């Protein structure tokens, strides 16, 4: 069951990748036993490449000019400290639109943030109506995922304004309400101290 859940999460991580459309998706596990998924063997840290496993997944085509990466302008500010149990998943408490709370798994291998429709609707985000879609491509076929705009996403005092996120129910409860991806994390300097169980986000 755990292997199936991790595979399904891996499929979701190919959303709107920015590299070549035919790049291979790899799974690798760090020294703390935390799994990561990344686009291409060159994206796997050198020390883990020998253990990286290709998943047989390929990226969907890169988004066009009207895709979610072109919608809205991000503005980042503030900093945050997140504590976690070493060797366990890094679960992060976030605020959506300054009010509704959700818990997301921090994943530096995920290009896009995915949040359950329930958590988005609790924040007043409209799911129905015209939206941008992204495609999940896997060994068993493909699936469309809606992207919606949130006015802000906050982790402590670290805040990114107006950004697109995927409205999707992940096929496992092990990641809380979704994934916190690099579209948020790349707006900050991110330091993960695996030994102490501390993640810090600071302004670039």
């Amino acid at each position: 069951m755990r292997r199936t859940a991790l595979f399904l999460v891996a499929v979701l991580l190919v959303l709107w990748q920015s590299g070549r459309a035919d790049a291979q998706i790899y799974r690798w596990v760090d020294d703390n036993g935390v799994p990561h998924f990344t686009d291409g063997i060159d994206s796997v840290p050198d020390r883990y490449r020998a253990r990286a496993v290709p998943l047989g997944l390929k990226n969907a085509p890169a988004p066009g000019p009207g895709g979610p990466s072109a919608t809205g302008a991000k503005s980042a500010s503030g900093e945050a400290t997140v504590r976690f149990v070493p060797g366990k998943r890094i679960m992060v408490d976030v605020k959506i639109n300054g009010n509704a709370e959700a818990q997301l798994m921090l994943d530096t291998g995920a290009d896009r943030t995915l949040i359950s429709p329930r958590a988005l609707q609790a924040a007043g985000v409209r799911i129905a109506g015209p939206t941008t879609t992204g495609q999940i491509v896997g060994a068993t076929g493909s699936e469309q995922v809606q992207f919606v705009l949130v006015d802000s996403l906050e982790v402590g005092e670290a805040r990114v304004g107006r950004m697109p996120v995927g409205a999707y129910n992940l096929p496992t409860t092990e990641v809380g309400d979704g994934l916190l991806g690099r579209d948020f994390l790349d707006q900050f300097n991110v330091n993960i101290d695996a030994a102490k169980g501390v993640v810090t986000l600071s302004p670039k």
Side-chain angles (χ1 to χ4, degrees):
M1 178 65 182
R2 178 178 174 82
R3 179 179 297 177
T4 300
L6 287 174
F7 174 78
L8 290 171
V9 171
V11 174
L12 292 167
L13 298 184
V14 306
L15 285 166
W16 296 113
Q17 298 276 355
S18 60
R20 294 176 300 142
D22 61 348
Q24 178 74 58
I25 304 300
Y26 282 81
R27 177 183 186 273
W28 55 278
V29 180
D30 64 25
D31 292 336
N32 295 302
V34 178
H36 300 265
F37 306 88
T38 192
D39 182 14
I41 190 66
D42 291 341
S43 298
V44 179
D46 290 342
R47 61 189 294 190
Y48 300 117
R49 286 184 184 177
R51 290 179 280 170
V53 178
L55 296 177
L57 305 173
K58 295 183 183 298
N59 289 336
S69 61
T71 308
K74 298 175 188 173
S75 58
S77 61
E79 57 187 33
T81 299
V82 176
R83 300 190 179 279
F84 65 97
V85 178
K88 301 293 185 180
R89 294 178 179 83
I90 303 175
M91 304 304 297
V92 181
D93 294 323
V94 305
K95 280 189 177 182
I96 307 168
N97 290 351
N99 48 55
E101 296 183 353
Q103 189 175 63
L104 307 179
M105 186 182 83
L106 186 151
D107 195 325
T108 57
D111 279 354
R112 291 287 174 177
T113 294
L114 303 177
I115 303 177
S116 71
R118 176 196 59 79
L120 289 170
Q121 289 172 333
V125 179
R126 184 182 178 189
I127 304 296
T131 56
T132 303
T133 59
Q135 189 176 37
I136 302 171
V137 180
T140 59
S142 62
E143 185 173 351
Q144 296 291 318
V145 173
Q146 288 181 307
F147 277 84
V148 296
L149 281 174
V150 297
D151 291 330
S152 65
L153 197 61
E154 301 173 43
V155 175
E157 297 298 319
R159 178 184 184 277
V160 173
R162 195 164 177 78
M163 62 177 283
V165 300
Y168 193 81
N169 283 314
L170 291 163
T172 172
T173 58
E174 296 179 354
V175 295
D177 296 304
L179 302 176
L180 184 66
R182 291 207 309 266
D183 50 353
F184 179 93
L185 298 172
D186 283 354
Q187 310 305 309
F188 303 91
N189 293 311
V190 181
N191 180 60
I192 301 177
D193 189 327
K196 294 182 179 179
V198 177
V199 178
T200 56
L201 305 179
S202 58
K204 282 191 172 181

